[in-house]
Amino acid sequence: MIVAISFTSFAQNQTFDVVSYTLPKGWQELKNEAGIQLSITDKKDASYAIVVITKAAASAASATENFNNDWLKLVKGAVQVNAEPIMQQPTNENGWEIISGGANYTDAANTGMATLLTATGSGQTASVVLMTNTKQYQNELLAFIQSLKLSQALKTSANKQVITNNTGGSSIVGLWCDNHLEVSGYFNGFPQYTAGYFRREYLFKEDGTYTFRLKNWSTLLKEILFASESGTYTVYGNQITINPNKGRGEWWSKKNNNTKLWGNKLNASDYKLEKANYTFEIKYYSGTDNYGLILNPKKNTERDGTYNQNGFSYTRSRTGESIIDNPPGFKN
C-alpha cells in the first residue's frame, strides 16, 4: 500500500500553494486554479500513475471530517472504490494534522490503488491524492511522498470563502431571493393566485458569513411565519457548506389581513441548527438578463424542508434590497 505516515522534508524543487514536492522525471504537470495534477502513462499497456494536489481551502471541519469529505469527492467521485480506506495513524507537522488512508479501486477493466492524504490546520485543509493501476511507478510514488513538505500553517479565518469558479456573475456573494406566490388551484390550466406568498432569501457576504430569512404569509393559515438564521459558509468548486450558529423562528398574528402588516408576536423559539453541504450552480438567464442560484442538498434538511431533486432556486437581487420585511423589533 502506498500510504505516507507523514509529510517529510527532503527536496523542495517545486511548490504549489502550501505543498512543496519533487516532480518525478518524465511526469506531466497540469495546473489550474483549484489544484495541480501530475501524471505518467505507459501507452503500451495503458498503465498509469496520477497525483492530484488541491489548493488549500478554508474549512471549519475537523481533520477526520475533511478526510472523509475529500475521500468521497476526490476518490469515490473519480473511481469505484471497493472498500473503506485502511487508515494510518494521524501525524502533525508545521501546525497541520495529517490523516492518510488508502483502498483498492476499479477503473473500467483495470484495478488500482488510491491513497489520500489530507492536512488540516488553522482553519484550512489541503489534500494529496495518488492513484495507480500498476506497480511500475511505485518507487517514483514513494519518492514523491517522501519529498512532500507543508509550509507552516498560518492563522486564517475559517469563514474565508474559497471560490474556484468566481468569474463575472458566477460569484455566490450577494443577495439571492425566492418569491413563490400562493396558488389556490388551476382553471383551464392557469394558476389561480391568492394574496399569499412564501419568500426565502440568502445573503452571502464576502467575509464568509451569511444570513438566511424566510417569511410565509398564507391565506390558509392564521399566523405569519418568520425565521432567521446566520452563520458561516465555505465554497470549494461547486460545493458550499453552510454552518449556522444562530437561528430563530417566530409566529405572528395578521393585522387587518394585510400582507404588508404585522400583528402581535404569538410565539418564538430557537430551532435545530443543521450544518449542511450543497451542490450549487449559478445560471445566466438571457431572457431576464439575470442570474439564478440552484442549491441542492440532496436530502431533507432543517433549513430547506422536504428534498426536491431539482434543488432550490433563487434569483440574484439586482438592487441588493430584501424582499422580506422584518417584524417589529427584529434584530439580526
Side-chain angles (χ1 to χ4, degrees):
M1 177 185 296
I2 304 172
V3 176
I5 296 177
S6 67
F7 288 88
T8 55
S9 175
F10 284 90
Q12 300 183 46
N13 292 346
Q14 299 197 46
T15 299
F16 177 78
D17 199 39
V18 299
V19 179
S20 297
Y21 61 94
T22 298
L23 178 66
K25 185 178 180 180
W27 285 48
Q28 301 297 311
E29 186 177 54
L30 178 64
K31 291 183 179 180
N32 58 44
E33 191 175 337
I36 185 170
Q37 177 178 293
L38 315 174
S39 63
I40 188 169
T41 302
D42 188 333
K43 295 182 179 179
K44 295 179 181 179
D45 58 5
S47 61
Y48 62 83
I50 299 174
V51 173
V52 175
I53 305 172
T54 68
K55 190 174 183 179
S59 174
S62 68
T64 299
E65 288 176 321
N66 285 330
F67 178 90
N68 292 338
N69 290 337
D70 279 356
W71 183 263
L72 181 64
K73 178 172 59 178
L74 301 177
V75 179
K76 297 185 73 173
V79 294
Q80 180 180 337
V81 181
N82 302 324
E84 293 300 313
I86 298 175
M87 305 302 297
Q88 302 296 303
Q89 190 69 23
T91 61
N92 293 276
E93 181 187 335
N94 284 343
W96 299 89
E97 182 178 355
I98 303 155
I99 294 181
S100 58
N104 294 323
Y105 69 84
T106 302
D107 181 11
N110 298 317
T111 58
M113 179 68 197
T115 299
L116 172 65
L117 303 95
T118 297
T120 301
S122 298
Q124 298 182 92
T125 183
S127 287
V128 177
V129 183
L130 304 95
M131 292 186 181
T132 183
N133 65 349
T134 179
K135 294 182 179 180
Q136 179 179 340
Y137 304 111
Q138 182 146 337
N139 290 337
E140 292 170 61
L141 288 169
L142 288 173
F144 171 81
I145 289 172
Q146 290 177 338
S147 76
L148 290 170
K149 180 177 174 60
L150 282 162
S151 61
Q152 183 69 39
L154 301 176
K155 293 293 183 182
T156 184
S157 171
N159 301 338
K160 182 181 178 182
Q161 181 188 191
V162 181
I163 300 178
T164 60
N165 59 345
N166 184 14
T167 56
S170 64
S171 171
I172 202 170
V173 173
L175 180 65
W176 301 88
C177 306
D178 174 45
N179 182 21
H180 268 79
L181 300 180
E182 187 178 47
V183 176
S184 61
Y186 291 82
F187 181 74
N188 289 335
F190 291 93
Q192 304 301 297
Y193 293 108
T194 71
Y197 54 81
F198 307 92
R199 296 173 179 173
R200 305 155 63 91
E201 66 180 29
Y202 277 100
L203 174 61
F204 294 109
K205 301 178 183 179
E206 291 184 352
D207 63 359
T209 62
Y210 80 94
T211 58
F212 170 81
R213 295 187 304 145
L214 70 81
K215 181 183 179 182
N216 292 346
W217 201 106
S218 171
T219 58
L220 304 177
L221 300 175
K222 294 181 178 181
E223 300 87 16
I224 304 169
L225 171 61
F226 176 83
S228 176
E229 179 183 292
S230 59
T232 62
Y233 73 98
T234 55
V235 173
Y236 186 80
N238 69 337
Q239 304 291 316
I240 180 170
T241 300
I242 294 179
N243 191 17
N245 55 37
K246 183 173 63 175
R248 189 170 179 82
E250 298 179 353
W251 291 262
W252 290 72
S253 64
K254 297 176 180 178
K255 185 175 182 179
N256 300 330
N257 213 33
N258 189 316
T259 60
K260 297 181 180 180
L261 299 179
W262 295 86
N264 299 317
K265 183 188 292 187
L266 303 175
N267 194 11
S269 67
D270 297 332
Y271 62 85
K272 180 181 178 181
L273 301 178
E274 180 182 15
K275 179 179 179 180
N277 297 316
Y278 299 80
T279 298
F280 77 89
E281 181 181 5
I282 296 176
K283 289 186 175 182
Y284 175 70
Y285 298 103
S286 58
T288 59
D289 189 29
N290 203 358
Y291 292 90
L293 170 66
I294 301 174
L295 293 174
N296 195 334
K298 299 182 179 179
K299 64 176 185 178
N300 297 340
T301 68
E302 294 290 332
R303 183 182 306 104
D304 306 291
T306 303
Y307 169 58
N308 178 347
Q309 65 179 357
N310 296 319
F312 299 90
S313 299
Y314 297 83
T315 302
R316 185 189 294 278
S317 171
R318 294 179 181 276
T319 63
E321 296 181 359
S322 171
I323 61 172
I324 298 177
D325 56 315
N326 292 324
F330 170 78
K331 293 182 180 180
N332 194 4

